[in-house]
Amino acid sequence: ANCTVRVYSVKGELVQELHHDGSTSGIVPWNLRTKDNLDVAPGLYIYHMDAGALGTKIGKFAIIK
């Protein structure tokens, strides 16, 4: 239920860190802004989801504008 999602660029730079609030919706909202409050650029990104005792998941996604 509670997890942290970190979004990285393909260069390995942290773009944003998101926290799931424990709701049952399974959705972590993101306004597509970086941790420095800039718009994210179109491209490929890597995510790392850490759910504590439930484990971790790493994947990739693309942003197309």
Side-chain angles (χ1 to χ4, degrees), residues 7-16 35:
V7 179
Y8 296 93
S9 69
V10 291
K11 293 181 180 180
E13 299 166 342
L14 179 64
V15 174
Q16 184 62 276
K35 60 183 173 60

Side-chain angles (χ1 to χ4, degrees), residues 19-36:
H19 301 280
H20 188 266
D21 62 1
S23 67
T24 58
S25 69
I27 297 172
V28 179
W30 182 26
N31 61 2
L32 296 178
R33 313 271 299 167
T34 67
K35 60 183 173 60
D36 299 321

Side-chain angles (χ1 to χ4, degrees), residues 2-63:
N2 292 315
C3 73
T4 301
V5 179
R6 291 179 185 88
V7 179
Y8 296 93
S9 69
V10 291
K11 293 181 180 180
E13 299 166 342
L14 179 64
V15 174
Q16 184 62 276
E17 183 171 299
L18 307 166
H19 301 280
H20 188 266
D21 62 1
S23 67
T24 58
S25 69
I27 297 172
V28 179
W30 182 26
N31 61 2
L32 296 178
R33 313 271 299 167
T34 67
K35 60 183 173 60
D36 299 321
N37 204 29
L38 302 171
D39 286 331
V40 293
L44 189 62
Y45 291 86
I46 310 297
Y47 68 86
H48 177 261
M49 214 174 0
D50 183 2
L54 294 175
T56 62
K57 170 78 175 164
I58 297 173
K60 58 187 169 186
F61 65 95
I63 294 179

